[in-house]
Amino acid sequence: MANFFKRKTNWVNSRMGFFLLIVVLFWVKTYIAYQTEFTLGAKGNVQQFLLLINPIPAALLVFGIALYFRGRLAYWLMLIIDVLESTWIFANVLYYREFSDFLSFGIMKGSSDVGNNLGKSLAQITHVYDFFVYIDIVILIILLVTHVIRIDARPFKRRYAFSITVLSFGLMFAEFGMANADRSGLLTRTFDNNYIVKYLGLNEYAAFNAYQTQKESATRASANASDMKSVLKYLKQNRVSPNVSYFGKEKGKNVFIIHLESFQQFLIDYKVDGKEVTPTLNKFYHSKNTLAYKNFYNQVAQGKTSDAEMMLENSLFGLPQGSAMTTYGTQNTFQAAPAILSQEAGYTTAAFHGDVPSFWNRDNTYKSWGYQYFFSSSYYTEKSGYSIGYGLKDKIFFKQSAKYIEQLPQPFYAKLITLTNHYPYELDKKNTDFPATKTGDKTVDPYVQTAHYLDQAFGEFISYLKKAGLYKNSVIVAYGDHYGISNNHRPAIAQLLGKSKVTNYDLAQFQKVPFMIHATGLKGGIQSTYGGEIDVLPTLLDLLGVKNTDTIQFGQDLLAKNRNQTVAFRNGNFVSPKYTKIGGTVYDTKTGDALTLTAAQKKDVAKLQNHVTTELSLSDRVIYGDLLRFYTPKNFTKVNKTDFTYKLKPAMEQLAEAEEKEKTSVLAKHDGKSTVSDYKTDAPELK
């Protein structure tokens, strides 16, 4: 028997045999990951074939490197390469499971900003079977150590190693040719990483992403003022006139931007066991003084919250890879809401965030945007039980923020970023008084509980604003930044939506988030207009009566009567009142039915696609090239970041001086008597 096994395994005792074995094992586990962990949407024989073979060329190339070395070193190099490659698969499986995207160098570069919290989140979704990606390596090491597989110490001819390298490149070019024939312009006009992995593979995606990252760095160095011409031409052609019924109606009022973390539109009016998940926000949404948008979509990519902030306050899209705030927030020039409102309307500007200031590079980016004050973790009292997940619990955060809000000279622009309704939706029992859903998905079911807690915190804050005399003199903007439940939870989403299964159309509609603008006396109502986060800044500026006809903004006022209602997603897909395009399929937006397009419909869809591709590309050009350094609108001065400090003592000294000079703060209007005692909360930690 031993001799039989020996004869059958002689082939693997050669270096070429071991090389082929490790390549085949790697190919198999990569393909298994493709089919079980990623939603790549391979359709048709060509795409399925490319998905099957695409791990092979890169595997031949990277494992073939070891063949250029002698003896034991060649074997151990193959194993080390296998460990690195398997770790790349493992990391992408975890990242994709929660974020429906692949890791990029931009995200990894920004990992120092989000590392601890992201690590904690990913730990929640790691399954024991994920580690099976390493099982072949363990087996191969055991077989080598026990000499079941013997190391072939004979020299391996260089020309054979070189032939394998040439073969790998030949296969890559052939694969790319087939892929490009099936999807023309694969690497030049796609914004979706799924396409790269589906057609070319995980390794090729990594190489392409590295190339993109390097190219982006070089773009800024080569950019010049003439690059702004195409941007200005496009914006001039797409500029819309404000709605005269709303322009300037809220002039001079304070502005509160309430960032509802991971809050999706379906939560509005949603019930669990007959109970409203968000009764306060439901009432706010349906108020006659609230402009509430039922067809408002998040448009984020890998930057998630940071992408939402970029769009909300700059009307610039986030990037296709990584986070613009992390990569470009420090060095780039911006024309953001804080600077515009401060310079053109005399606003005091402040951001509030119950976590470390470096998260998403906010401490640097906010200076570039012109925020005069940034109240982050060092400004808040921290005790045991005050924080969970990504920072201070919302009820505690809102209450502690009140002591700074009352000191801000009016009018002010204040952004408050909530955190508790963030994955992994943790909440201690003493704060949980709402039933979880029963989808059976442990990631999804607690989501309504943290959303309910956020709703309670929001209600307490609104009550305080009324008592402090701020409610009637303020515009309150509440918005969801991005999805809370990713598309990888299809069965649970179907249950939440009361469907037997969900389609790609359903998932596109699931990207809706609330957007509400409330002000006393504002003519509100539920709006059917289609829009997204890119449209917030021009809408808000028009309401406040701040002219913005020469600023660089890719969004359009949601209240404008002649606006383009095409909502661009970061991956190049889009939603419009008539058509929804997801990948290669076009749906009827009203019915959700997949369409077989007529010649006229194809022309309409192509026109919409061109609009989407153009605005995404031009917005990217502005950020990558830092083009705003070459263009300054009238009545606007480029932000000098050295004007601001967010260190606790000097910042509070500056605020005290401004308050004394202006005498318009809530504290000053109450003759120096604090209103914080008027803030009522049922947070058990504060009792």
Side-chain angles (χ1 to χ4, degrees):
M1 186 69 177
N3 288 334
F4 174 81
F5 182 78
K6 182 178 180 181
R7 287 196 302 271
K8 291 294 182 181
T9 56
N10 272 340
W11 66 274
V12 84
N13 288 320
S14 68
R15 194 178 309 179
M16 177 60 78
F18 185 80
F19 167 76
L20 292 175
L21 176 63
I22 203 168
V23 166
V24 169
L25 290 174
F26 177 77
W27 170 30
V28 170
K29 68 184 177 186
T30 303
Y31 184 68
I32 290 173
Y34 284 170
Q35 295 289 6
T36 61
E37 300 296 338
F38 307 130
T39 307
L40 299 176
K43 298 179 181 179
N45 294 333
V46 172
Q47 292 183 19
Q48 290 290 354
F49 176 71
L50 288 172
L51 188 68
L52 173 66
I53 68 165
N54 77 36
I56 298 175
L60 291 173
L61 178 64
V62 295
F63 287 107
I65 294 171
L67 297 177
Y68 289 92
F69 296 85
R70 296 182 177 181
R72 292 178 179 272
L73 180 58
Y75 284 78
W76 291 115
L77 279 176
M78 279 188 264
L79 290 170
I80 290 171
I81 291 169
D82 203 356
V83 169
L84 294 175
E85 289 284 339
S86 299
T87 300
W88 177 237
I89 297 173
F90 179 82
N92 274 285
V93 165
L94 297 188
Y95 189 81
Y96 195 94
R97 185 171 292 155
E98 182 52 30
F99 299 111
S100 302
D101 203 351
F102 296 94
L103 280 167
S104 69
F105 287 97
I107 285 293
M108 290 185 284
K109 182 179 179 181
S111 62
S112 60
D113 297 330
V114 300
N116 293 334
N117 291 318
L118 181 59
K120 184 176 181 180
S121 296
L122 292 179
Q124 299 289 329
I125 57 173
T126 303
H127 302 151
V128 173
Y129 60 74
D130 294 332
F131 293 95
F132 275 83
V133 74
Y134 297 105
I135 193 68
D136 61 318
I137 303 172
V138 174
I139 293 172
L140 287 174
I141 291 174
I142 292 173
L143 293 176
L144 283 169
V145 171
T146 59
H147 303 294
V148 173
I149 295 178
R150 294 189 300 275
I151 291 175
D152 183 3
R154 293 174 298 173
F156 191 82
K157 294 183 178 181
R158 287 290 182 94
R159 67 173 181 270
Y160 293 160
F162 182 71
S163 296
I164 290 172
T165 301
V166 172
L167 174 63
S168 68
F169 278 111
L171 290 174
M172 283 183 187
F173 284 120
E175 178 189 22
F176 178 74
M178 291 181 65
N180 204 53
D182 192 66
R183 180 175 173 80
S184 178
L186 175 64
L187 299 182
T188 57
R189 63 184 181 89
T190 183
F191 296 96
D192 190 345
N193 295 327
N194 280 284
Y195 281 94
I196 308 297
V197 176
K198 175 174 66 176
Y199 281 106
L200 302 181
L202 264 175
N203 279 310
E204 286 84 347
Y205 159 72
F208 180 65
N209 183 253
Y211 164 76
Q212 284 183 309
T213 302
Q214 187 280 329
K215 183 180 178 181
E216 290 160 10
S217 299
T219 298
R220 186 181 193 278
S222 62
N224 57 64
S226 64
D227 294 329
M228 275 297 298
K229 291 180 180 178
S230 57
V231 175
L232 291 170
K233 180 181 179 180
Y234 172 83
L235 293 179
K236 183 178 180 180
Q237 292 172 342
N238 289 273
R239 188 83 65 181
V240 294
S241 302
N243 188 327
V244 294
S245 298
Y246 284 95
F247 184 82
K249 293 300 181 184
E250 306 305 323
K251 186 174 184 177
K253 286 188 176 182
N254 301 314
V255 177
F256 285 100
I257 304 292
I258 311 298
H259 174 109
L260 305 173
E261 175 62 43
S262 304
F263 197 97
Q264 293 181 240
Q265 175 70 18
F266 86 89
L267 288 169
I268 298 296
D269 296 330
Y270 194 78
K271 293 181 179 180
V272 177
D273 294 346
K275 300 178 180 179
E276 291 181 293
V277 178
T278 58
T280 305
L281 283 163
N282 294 346
K283 185 178 179 181
F284 191 80
Y285 180 85
H286 290 288
S287 169
K288 67 178 183 179
N289 297 131
T290 299
L291 286 165
Y293 289 84
K294 66 178 182 179
N295 293 314
F296 185 88
Y297 297 80
N298 90 74
Q299 298 169 282
V300 306
Q302 290 183 334
K304 297 300 185 292
T305 294
S306 67
D307 285 353
E309 290 190 69
M310 178 63 70
M311 287 183 281
L312 191 84
E313 300 191 274
N314 294 271
S315 201
L316 294 173
F317 287 96
L319 300 178
Q321 295 90 28
S323 163
M325 282 177 59
T326 298
T327 308
Y328 297 96
T330 303
Q331 66 179 13
N332 274 25
T333 300
F334 294 95
Q335 297 164 12
I340 293 171
L341 290 174
S342 175
Q343 293 183 26
E344 298 192 27
Y347 276 71
T348 304
T349 58
F352 299 77
H353 175 55
D355 199 3
V356 294
S358 61
F359 197 93
W360 288 126
N361 194 36
R362 286 189 176 99
D363 51 345
N364 293 308
T365 303
Y366 283 177
K367 291 178 181 177
S368 299
W369 291 359
Y371 268 114
Q372 296 162 324
Y373 305 99
F374 178 27
F375 302 99
S376 57
S377 56
S378 62
Y379 288 81
Y380 294 88
T381 300
E382 176 65 82
K383 293 183 180 179
S384 177
Y386 277 24
S387 294
I388 197 166
Y390 280 68
L392 278 179
K393 294 173 182 174
D394 294 341
K395 291 182 180 180
I396 298 170
F397 165 68
F398 275 128
K399 180 173 174 60
Q400 290 197 34
S401 297
K403 67 179 177 181
Y404 302 116
I405 291 171
E406 69 175 3
Q407 297 179 60
L408 296 176
Q410 301 184 72
F412 57 72
Y413 173 88
K415 178 173 67 175
L416 295 98
I417 301 173
T418 64
L419 293 167
T420 308
N421 193 47
H422 195 294
Y423 178 82
Y425 313 120
E426 297 176 319
L427 201 57
D428 44 303
K429 290 184 179 180
K430 62 186 177 182
N431 279 294
T432 306
D433 62 353
F434 196 81
T437 54
K438 299 178 180 64
T439 68
D441 189 319
K442 293 181 180 179
T443 298
V444 172
D445 288 337
Y447 177 61
V448 293
Q449 295 178 315
T450 51
H452 182 71
Y453 176 88
L454 168 57
D455 182 77
Q456 291 176 322
F458 178 80
E460 291 174 352
F461 183 68
I462 294 298
S463 295
Y464 164 72
L465 295 183
K466 292 177 179 178
K467 292 177 181 178
L470 286 168
Y471 187 76
K472 290 184 178 181
N473 192 38
S474 298
V475 176
I476 302 169
V477 178
Y479 83 107
D481 61 336
H482 55 74
Y483 62 79
I485 302 170
S486 77
N487 289 347
N488 291 317
H489 301 278
R490 288 184 178 227
I493 293 172
Q495 291 186 55
L496 292 174
L497 299 180
K499 296 175 176 285
S500 58
K501 64 178 182 179
V502 290
T503 65
N504 287 337
Y505 167 83
D506 295 322
L507 294 177
Q509 301 308 311
F510 201 60
Q511 298 306 309
K512 290 180 182 180
V513 292
F515 179 62
M516 300 169 272
I517 305 174
H518 179 92
T520 301
L522 179 65
K523 182 182 177 182
I526 298 176
Q527 311 293 307
S528 59
T529 299
Y530 283 74
E533 290 157 332
I534 198 74
D535 302 311
V536 172
L537 180 58
T539 305
L540 182 59
L541 291 179
D542 280 350
L543 273 172
L544 297 175
V546 178
K547 293 183 179 181
N548 56 104
T549 55
D550 56 352
T551 50
I552 303 303
Q553 297 172 15
F554 284 88
Q556 295 180 340
D557 183 352
L558 289 166
L559 294 163
K561 295 181 178 180
N562 59 335
R563 69 183 307 275
N564 187 325
Q565 295 189 58
T566 307
V567 183
F569 294 130
R570 184 60 264 195
N571 60 7
N573 294 331
F574 63 82
V575 172
S576 74
K578 191 172 182 179
Y579 300 110
T580 294
K581 183 175 180 292
I582 307 297
T585 305
V586 178
Y587 300 87
D588 184 313
T589 299
K590 299 300 182 185
T591 66
D593 295 332
L595 298 173
T596 300
L597 300 178
T598 65
Q601 288 175 323
K602 287 181 180 179
K603 187 175 181 180
D604 290 342
V605 170
K607 184 178 180 181
L608 295 176
Q609 184 67 75
N610 182 64
H611 169 79
V612 167
T613 303
T614 300
E615 70 173 356
L616 289 171
S617 299
L618 290 175
S619 177
D620 289 347
R621 191 180 301 177
V622 169
I623 295 177
Y624 290 146
D626 188 17
L627 298 187
L628 297 187
R629 60 185 158 142
F630 303 121
Y631 174 76
T632 304
K634 296 177 182 178
N635 303 317
F636 184 84
T637 303
K638 290 182 182 178
V639 173
N640 183 353
K641 292 184 282 290
T642 62
D643 289 342
F644 312 115
T645 179
Y646 298 148
K647 293 181 179 179
L648 179 59
K649 185 176 179 180
M652 291 309 298
E653 289 175 350
Q654 288 181 13
L655 181 58
E657 291 176 5
E659 181 193 7
E660 177 63 26
K661 180 181 178 181
E662 301 293 337
K663 298 187 184 302
T664 58
S665 68
V666 170
L667 195 62
K669 290 184 177 298
H670 284 76
D671 298 323
K673 183 180 178 181
S674 176
T675 61
V676 175
S677 60
D678 293 328
Y679 200 113
K680 304 302 179 185
T681 176
D682 64 1
E685 299 86 355
L686 299 177
K687 295 181 179 178

